[in-house]
Amino acid sequence: MSYTNHFKQALRAGRAQIGLWSTIPSPFVCELIGGAGYDWVLLDTEHTPTDVPLMLHQLQAVAAAHPAAGVQPTHAVVRPAWNDPVLIKRYLDIGAQTLLLPFVQNAQEAQAAVRAIRYAPEGIRGMGGSTRASNFGRSTDYVARAAEELCLLVQVETGEALEQIEAIAAIDGIDGIFIGPADLSASLGFPGQARHPEVKRRIDDAIGRIRACGKAPGILMVDEPRARECLDLGAQFVAVALDTILLRDGLDAAAARFRGHSTAGKPASGDY
């Protein structure tokens, strides 16, 4: 089993990675997404009913997907519900290689996240000798390579956190900083207005500052022109679609195209 984290390598090389945000807790859907050709897929547990056992099946499904010839397999990024060392340990042990941790406000919380993914003496992650992460103990070099192959992304999603970007980025072990537009808009006083000019200005500024620190900026942006704009500004891991929105819009559009036909062919009253 190969443990090379191609997603982390791409971020270090400065290459943009296009992703999809997945909130449908279904291994079947995850395998479908995994074959679509995205560089990465975010498997969410913060705003979904996904738990650790179900996430195991989702990770297995992404790994089992068959992308088109010549396309790199989609990399799974797991978002735990919180920056919690117990949750972090459990997701790493079932094989997650990249984590996106929500609501990291300062350097201290970023440092705690780094310690949670690293073994002693650099961290506090508990040792498990026969986890899926190490191919059930068959890969004897997993512990030695873990710090290099695990990728840690943290979310800044408040005005206060934006002020701490440089301090967070300075923590060794932080590979990327993700800007959360929805929570950020609420924090800045514009709830539900992620496209407000002030929110846009702060996001643009944050992307540049993160890049200036030598770390990878990321964002979720389902508006295509704005997503391309963020990429042009230097964002490196950008989720450009969300599975529930794709499904919702497809369902709504198909229903709308045929709405009215359900009654058009019915006989008039009295003709039954």
Side-chain angles (χ1 to χ4, degrees):
M1 183 181 294
S2 173
Y3 291 101
T4 301
N5 191 327
H6 296 287
F7 176 80
K8 183 175 181 176
Q9 288 184 345
L11 295 187
R12 284 187 169 180
R15 299 196 302 273
Q17 298 291 281
I18 305 302
L20 181 134
W21 205 265
S22 179
T23 61
I24 300 176
S26 164
F28 195 80
V29 172
C30 289
E31 187 173 356
L32 174 64
I33 293 169
Y38 292 96
D39 296 310
W40 60 284
V41 56
L42 187 285
L43 304 178
D44 192 27
T45 78
E46 183 184 8
H47 295 294
T48 74
T50 303
D51 55 10
V52 175
L54 179 53
M55 180 56 67
L56 168 61
H57 299 312
Q58 292 181 248
L59 288 170
Q60 290 171 324
V62 173
H66 295 284
V71 177
Q72 185 79 24
T74 299
H75 182 79
V77 178
V78 174
R79 179 164 73 166
W82 196 247
N83 181 12
D84 177 272
V86 175
L87 285 175
I88 290 170
K89 174 174 59 179
R90 297 193 71 194
Y91 287 118
L92 292 179
D93 282 353
I94 63 171
Q97 279 193 301
T98 299
L99 298 180
L100 174 61
L101 299 180
F103 208 79
V104 172
Q105 290 285 89
N106 51 52
Q108 291 74 26
E109 293 179 7
Q111 184 65 67
V114 173
R115 287 180 54 77
I117 73 166
R118 290 186 174 176
Y119 294 114
E122 291 82 14
I124 61 169
R125 180 184 174 188
M127 299 285 291
S130 57
T131 64
R132 180 174 182 266
S134 64
N135 193 19
F136 308 99
R138 296 185 181 101
S139 297
T140 57
D141 62 344
Y142 174 78
V143 171
R145 295 182 58 190
E148 179 62 25
E149 299 301 339
L150 295 179
C151 181
L152 181 58
L153 312 170
V154 296
Q155 289 185 225
V156 293
E157 42 194 334
T158 67
E160 293 80 5
L162 288 187
E163 299 303 318
Q164 300 298 316
I165 281 176
E166 285 75 15
I168 292 170
I171 300 300
D172 179 54
I174 299 297
D175 297 295
I177 298 177
F178 179 89
I179 306 159
D183 285 300
L184 179 60
S185 66
S187 172
L188 296 177
F190 309 103
Q193 302 179 61
R195 299 179 189 178
H196 189 280
E198 177 60 15
V199 178
K200 178 181 181 298
R201 184 187 71 80
R202 298 292 291 273
I203 289 173
D204 291 355
D205 177 67
I207 291 173
R209 289 165 58 203
I210 295 166
R211 282 300 294 261
C213 292
K215 298 297 171 76
I219 198 165
L220 165 64
M221 192 57 63
V222 298
D223 176 78
E224 183 174 342
R226 177 61 174 149
R228 293 186 181 278
E229 190 173 53
C230 289
L231 286 163
D232 290 341
L233 288 169
Q236 283 182 251
F237 59 106
V238 179
V240 299
L242 199 152
D243 58 0
T244 48
I245 292 179
L246 292 174
L247 179 59
R248 181 202 68 194
D249 289 352
L251 290 168
D252 291 355
R257 289 196 300 271
F258 287 91
R259 194 173 291 125
H261 285 267
S262 59
T263 59
K266 288 184 178 180
S269 177
D271 292 338
Y272 291 96

